[in-house]
Structure formats: C-alpha cells, structure tokens
Amino acid sequence: MSAIEQRFGPYGGRYVPETLIGALDELTEAWEATREDPEYVARLDALRRDYIGRPTPLYLAERLSRRVGSRVYLKREDLAHTGAHKINNALGQTLLAQRMGKARIIAETGAGQHGVATATACALLGLECIVYMGTEDIRRQAPNVERMKLLGAEVAPVDAGARTLKEATSAAIRDWVANVETTHYVIGSAVGPAPYPVLVRDLQRVIGDEAREQSLAAEGSLPRRVIACVGGGSNAIGIFAPFIDDAEVELIGVEAGGDGIETGRHGASLNAGTTGVLHGSLSAIVADEDGQILEAHSVSAGLDYPGTGPQHAHLRDTGRAAYFPMTDAGALGALGELARLEGIIPALESSHAIAWLLENALEGEGFDVLCLSGRGDKDLAEYVRRTSEA
Amino acid sequence: MIAGEQRIRAAFDAARDEGRAALMPYMMAGFPDRESGLAVAAAYADAGADLVELGVPYADPLADGPVIHSAATVALDNGATLRTALETCEAIADKVPVVLMVYTNMVLAHGGGSEFAKLARAAGASGAIIPDLPLGEDEGIREAFVAEGLAMVPLVAPTTTDERRAAICKVAKGFVYVVSTVGTTGERGELPPELADLVAATKADAGETPVAVGFGIGTPAHAAEVGKAADGVIIGSRLVRAADEGGSPGGAAESVAEFLAEARVALAG
C-alpha cells in the first residue's frame, strides 16, 4: 500500500495548532505501521464478522427497481451493529488507539450515530469515552444520548455557536490539544487534519470492497453507478474507494440541499460552497465573504455540516465523481417511499441518495449500487414532525 | 531585515535596554463592541505595551480556550469583521507595533497571503501570527507575508520535537512565540516547571530572534517569572476578561490599564 496521502490535489493538509503536530505525526506513523499488520487485521476482521455482522448484504431491491425503472442494489450498512456504517471507523480507530497505548478516547457527534458507535467500541475494549455534543443536538437526539450513557460514555455538552456538530467538533479538537499525550480523538467522518481523511477512508473502504465483490458475484460485472450521500463523506468515500480506478463506474455523491441552494439554507459545500479551512483541512466549505464558517442546514443531522472531506473536493475537481444536492423535502419523501416499497426505513442521510435515484433512473443496461448508510429509527420523530407540518 | 521585523526588534531592544522583558498584551478586536475595542487598544498603547497582539475575531478558533473563544463570538455578534480589526490596528500602529493574530481561513477568504498581507500592511501592522498554520502548511502564505514586509511569527509548543523546533526558529520573523503549556489559551493557576527548559532551548535555536511566551499567564507574578527567562511576555485571556469586566468603553480601558501597570511593575522588578 502507498504512503498515507497528506493532500488530495490542493486539498487536505494539517491546519491545526502546533501542539497537535506531534500527535498527528505519531498517528500517521502508527496507521502506516498498523493498517497491514497481520495481528491488527486479523483482530479487526474477526470483530467485523462476529461483532458488526459483516459483510453486510448487497440486496437487490426489486420493488424499488420497478419504481425507478432500472436495477438497484442496496448496500445494507443499516444492518451493521449500531445501525449505521459509523461503527466500521469507530471500531478500527479504537483498536488502533489501544495499540498506541491511549486509554482515553474522545469523539464528536451530531445526530449521535458516531457517538453511539464510539461509545460501543469503547465499551467493547474497556476504554474511557467522552463524546462532545452540541446542546441543541442533545435536545433533538435524546435517545442516542441515553444510549451513549448506557454504554458507559460521558456526554459532554457544548454550548457554543449553533450548538451542533461544528461546535462539537471544535470542542473535541480543543480537548485533544489539551490532552494530546493521553488521548486519541476518534473523528467521525473523512474530514479533519491529515492523516484522518485517509484513516477514516481506509476503515470505511470495507463497504466498497464488499460491494465490489458482491456485485461481481451477483451480476458478473461492476455497477454502472455507485451512489452515496455526502456530509463529511465517510460512507461515500468508503464505497467509492475501490471503484476509483474502474473508469467505467460513475461515482455519485448526494449532499444536503436543505431548503434549496437558492435559499442559502443548505449543507451543499461541494455544489454551493467555497474553498477554505475547516477543522484542520483545506476543502470545500460553506463560509461567508469574511471567512466565517456558516451554519449548515439540513433535515438530517448527519449532513448538517458546513464542510466535506478533502478527497471528495479533489474527486469533484478532477471530474472522477459528480456531486448533486437534494432538498430536505426530497429526502423526506424518499424515506417514506422506501419504507413502503421495501419495508426498509432508511436514515434521513441515506434518503438523500435514494431521492436522487428516484429522479435519475439509469438508462440502458447495467445496474446501480446505492449505499444505504444507516437505518432511520433515529429519524422517526423528525420525520413525523416534518411530514405532518406539510 | 524586513520592515515589520525591524520595528518588532526595536521594541524588544528598547525593553531589554530597560532591563526587562517586553510587555505584550493581547486583545480581541471589536470586543465587547467596536468602541470598547478601540478604547482598549488606546489604553494598551498609552499604558506601556511594548507590542500589541491584536486578535481578529473568528468563529472557530481551535487554538483558543473559552475566554477568547467567547470574546470572538460576542465581537462577531456585535458586527465585527476583519475591517474592525484593521481599523483598530490603524488607530494605534503609530504608537506601538501591532501583530495580528488571525486564523488561516480569514486569510484565504481575503484573497490569500499576498492580498491579506497588503491589507495588513496598509493598516500599519508589523506582523502576523496564524495559530492554525504550522510549519509545513505555511509555504505560500509565509512567503507572501514576508514579501510584503510583515513579520511571520511562528509558534513552538511543549510537544514540538527538538528537530522541528530548530526548523521553526530558522524561518521565524519578528519573534518566536512559545506556547507555555499543552492546551488552548487561558489562565492557569501555575506554569509548568518544564517551561524554563523550553524557553532556554528555543532561545538557543532562535539566536538573534527574540523569544516570547504566551498561553496561561494570568498574574503579574507569572509575568515576572516568565520575564526572567523570555524576551517577551504575552498576556491574553486575563486581559480579555478585564476588558469585559469594565462594562463600558471607558471602564474597559481603565480595567486593562490597571492590570498592565501592575504587570509592568512586576516585569521591571
């Protein structure tokens, strides 16, 4: 495997206080040494199989396919333990932290999925776990707060700014600056200073590796399109990664269009943002003319983030992947539609990708693979509230 | 030597000639509002600051602790922008050298290194500290700032390796900023015992370039202790708190001037 990329084209880098540079160097070296270490790989593989429940199925959604008018397979990350792809990264990183001798784990969370996944992995490995969460998210996502506490984690409320994911991430980074010698920061998406975008991608790549193999087994060929939702972009980069060199496979990311790009209330940093620095890396972000990061807006807490991972910005620029916005209304509609067609309640995040597919059927031969990144139980209250308003 | 660097060096030299470390107060531009910020800046210039570190309000300041973070939030809520900081700089730059403390994204948003440096120079700034632009990420911006005559002040942390510290000191312009403790900005009850060694090692690497210490200095006694080893002492959160407690532009100015006078006596002692 090649060395860990510090940048993707111009994007990425390490825009962090000097205090963290040593820890980022240490993490880079540790991941380079660990990611192919047979003992680590064997342990991770066993836990993926027996604990997470991997491989997750690649499911031919026949009724959805008929509705769309082309063949669609769903990569069922919603069936992974804790109900989303987040556990792939959390487990891999906490195993790495344990090897590095760091007994204290910190994480940030928005909707709580990454927080629950990290709390779960810490319970499994017996590590101390502190999860930073904005007080607005604590209010909106009470069941996940209870889950984290039940799993033995401390939920640290963050009362700054809009009190959501951006502030929780900043608070976690500040904790890391202060406790860097004893602590590992498990970042939840393919964002942050190098080596995090690579570390998270490598750990989420299992989604794409399985999907590629399962596609070949089911159809004898690769999919025409691979479709995923993009907030920070970890499920998307995970499923894209093994297909990047397959030029015939289109890679499509769907980001939060919120109330519509034209309203300015969105989380579409790749379609309607600018280039800048957020949480330690240069990438596509949403900021004002003075350089202040703006609040993102999305019905889905997981896409409610004013930035995207650096590799996505590069894939956009090179034209290797295409990114489209999808509105809140589209996502809410798609959630209901998939529930009725397939008996699967998708997360609002994944519903953005489904909504895009419903409007963009594949033409000609072949099939699509869509990453169903998580299950939607967590979103029921929001779904009911938003759809009864309309 | 570039223009900004010369002016900064002269300030350190003048303090050294008086047998003390340079007094380098920090302030947040536009905090709690534009007028109070201007009053605090004027008070710094009049109360014997050797150099002023002027914070540009930023909503996501990763190197800052709760006091400065919250001050930035209040300043932004009250309408502060880069323009507010540049006006504040302009108001005092004739009297005292000013170094801007600004986060990378604001530099990029204002046209990048060269364009931003021109704005800063036009406002009379002598240098800049970019706390989220460590060595290795700073090439274009550092070169652009230096080309415009601005001193680019790098930071050294307790976690910086010996090799890296030497490389940082080699490219430093104006002074080297030693971060006293592992953590974000904010007052500490006591300073770490290893600080004296870190300052000595940095001075050895920095040669002629002055070495100033910041983060955690909350009392005149701290300032005096640090001033024995370092060429300059930066006081941040404690003064931001004082500015807030003033309650009005005049009150803020009075409150910070009082603390600065004490610190100055302590440094001279």
Side-chain angles (χ1 to χ4, degrees):
Chain A
M1 207 178 269
S2 57
I4 287 176
E5 302 101 310
Q6 294 284 306
R7 290 197 184 246
F8 300 92
Y11 304 112
R14 307 192 292 186
Y15 298 87
V16 293
E18 173 64 25
T19 302
L20 289 181
I21 294 294
L24 292 172
D25 282 342
E26 183 192 4
L27 184 60
T28 304
E29 281 165 29
W31 186 233
E32 256 163 2
T34 301
R35 64 181 174 178
E36 289 177 274
D37 177 79
E39 196 184 314
Y40 174 84
V41 171
R43 178 112 197 265
L44 183 58
D45 279 350
L47 286 170
R48 279 173 171 171
R49 186 187 64 229
D50 303 333
Y51 188 72
I52 299 180
R54 304 204 73 90
T56 58
L58 186 73
Y59 163 69
L60 176 60
E62 292 191 16
R63 280 176 31 94
L64 174 66
S65 298
R66 277 201 292 280
R67 158 73 177 78
V68 173
S70 56
R71 235 164 39 259
V72 184
Y73 287 84
L74 300 177
K75 180 59 176 162
R76 297 289 308 275
E77 291 302 297
D78 60 316
L79 295 178
H81 180 44
T82 71
H85 70 291
K86 293 290 185 190
I87 189 73
N88 300 327
N89 170 52
L91 188 59
Q93 281 204 46
T94 44
L95 275 174
L96 176 66
Q98 199 176 43
R99 283 172 68 96
M100 292 172 73
K102 310 243 174 178
R104 180 174 179 269
I105 299 294
I106 57 171
E108 84 295 337
T109 200
Q113 294 304 100
H114 173 57
V116 168
T118 306
T120 298
C122 287
L124 177 70
L125 301 179
L127 300 170
E128 182 188 356
C129 181
I130 295 122
V131 180
Y132 286 90
M133 190 169 188
T135 48
E136 173 62 13
D137 284 336
I138 287 176
R139 189 189 62 76
R140 291 193 293 192
Q141 310 285 343
N144 272 343
V145 174
E146 293 309 319
R147 278 186 194 104
M148 286 185 269
K149 288 181 178 166
L150 185 61
L151 290 160
E154 177 194 331
V155 178
V158 179
D159 215 15
R163 305 176 182 89
T164 58
L165 179 58
K166 173 170 78 82
E167 286 73 27
T169 306
S170 296
I173 294 175
R174 285 192 193 93
D175 177 313
W176 203 35
V177 172
N179 299 293
V180 64
E181 284 137 333
T182 59
T183 299
H184 176 70
Y185 173 30
V186 179
I187 206 163
S189 193
V191 299
Y196 278 110
V198 169
L199 172 57
V200 175
R201 178 202 63 199
D202 289 352
L203 289 168
Q204 293 293 3
R205 185 191 162 107
V206 66
I207 307 172
D209 284 335
E210 288 174 7
R212 199 172 185 284
E213 198 177 303
Q214 290 165 325
S215 294
L216 290 170
E219 295 271 344
S221 64
L222 295 177
R224 288 264 309 282
R225 304 187 301 190
V226 173
I227 305 162
C229 65
V230 178
S234 70
N235 89 88
I237 206 66
I239 197 164
F240 287 177
F243 293 100
I244 287 175
D245 292 335
D246 300 314
E248 70 274 26
V249 179
E250 274 183 69
L251 306 177
I252 289 161
V254 184
E255 56 178 358
D259 291 341
I261 299 288
E262 67 288 353
T263 66
R265 292 174 50 80
H266 59 78
S269 47
L270 289 161
N271 277 282
T274 182
T275 297
V277 169
L278 173 61
H279 295 141
S281 67
L282 183 75
S283 191
I285 64 166
V286 186
D288 70 12
E289 286 177 356
D290 209 39
Q292 305 297 342
I293 310 296
L294 294 172
E295 299 303 335
H297 291 278
S298 174
V299 67
S300 99
L303 305 187
D304 201 352
Y305 182 71
T308 304
Q311 192 168 7
H312 286 296
H314 187 52
L315 290 172
R316 175 198 63 184
D317 286 4
T318 59
R320 181 62 193 93
Y323 298 87
F324 302 95
M326 175 49 65
T327 59
D328 286 356
L332 287 161
L335 187 153
E337 193 137 18
L338 192 72
R340 289 186 297 273
L341 283 171
E342 294 288 348
I344 296 170
I345 300 172
L348 272 171
E349 290 79 11
S350 324
S351 300
H352 285 70
I354 295 159
W356 185 87
L357 175 71
L358 289 170
E359 293 175 5
N360 297 275
L362 184 63
E363 287 173 15
E365 293 300 298
F367 64 99
D368 286 330
V369 167
L370 186 148
C371 189
L372 197 74
S373 57
R375 69 181 184 217
D377 313 46
K378 69 183 175 62
D379 297 318
L380 282 187
E382 185 69 5
Y383 178 80
V384 169
R385 191 175 72 80
R386 293 286 295 259
T387 50
S388 60
E389 270 172 13
Chain B
M1 207 182 281
I2 59 172
E5 191 180 13
Q6 251 164 1
R7 190 153 179 225
I8 292 168
R9 188 66 65 84
F12 278 99
D13 287 348
R16 198 192 49 212
D17 289 348
E18 291 179 19
R20 60 176 177 83
L23 179 58
M24 306 163 70
Y26 169 96
M27 63 168 289
M28 175 64 72
F31 175 75
D33 52 47
R34 185 174 170 280
E35 279 63 41
S36 301
L38 286 166
V40 167
Y44 282 3
D46 295 340
D50 295 298
L51 185 150
V52 171
E53 192 190 334
L54 180 61
V56 180
Y58 185 58
D60 297 271
L62 291 185
D64 286 306
V67 171
I68 291 180
H69 183 195
S70 146
T73 306
V74 170
L76 291 169
D77 286 348
N78 288 331
T81 61
L82 174 65
R83 180 50 49 198
T84 314
L86 295 176
E87 282 167 13
T88 310
C89 178
E90 215 166 348
I92 57 167
D94 285 347
K95 294 184 183 167
V96 59
V98 178
V99 174
L100 297 177
M101 176 126 168
V102 59
Y103 282 84
T104 305
N105 199 48
M106 292 194 70
V107 175
L108 298 179
H110 289 276
S114 193
E115 292 304 307
F116 187 94
K118 284 192 179 84
L119 291 173
R121 274 309 280 170
S126 296
I129 301 164
I130 310 183
D132 61 343
L133 193 70
L135 182 73
E137 312 299 330
D138 61 352
E139 290 318 310
I141 291 177
R142 181 161 52 76
E143 283 164 15
F145 275 45
V146 172
E148 289 297 327
L150 281 176
M152 184 77 169
V153 175
L155 294 102
V156 161
T159 52
T160 305
T161 61
D162 292 352
E163 199 179 21
R164 189 174 160 85
R165 190 180 59 239
I168 291 169
C169 289
K170 207 169 159 190
V171 300
K173 300 278 181 204
F175 64 96
V176 178
Y177 190 137
V178 171
V179 173
S180 74
T181 41
V182 175
T184 51
T185 56
E187 297 159 56
R188 307 291 201 277
E190 53 190 53
L191 297 170
E194 312 81 39
L195 178 59
D197 290 344
L198 177 61
V199 171
T202 308
K203 286 189 80 158
D205 288 332
E208 293 287 293
T209 309
V211 171
V213 174
F215 284 40
I217 297 169
T219 65
H222 280 162
E225 184 192 332
V226 169
K228 283 181 204 152
D231 303 308
V233 179
I234 300 159
I235 303 170
S237 296
R238 176 66 187 87
L239 282 165
V240 170
R241 196 156 59 80
D244 196 26
E245 285 162 0
S248 66
E254 207 173 298
S255 170
V256 299
E258 195 179 319
F259 187 87
L260 273 192
E262 283 174 40
R264 212 175 146 124
V265 169
L267 280 180

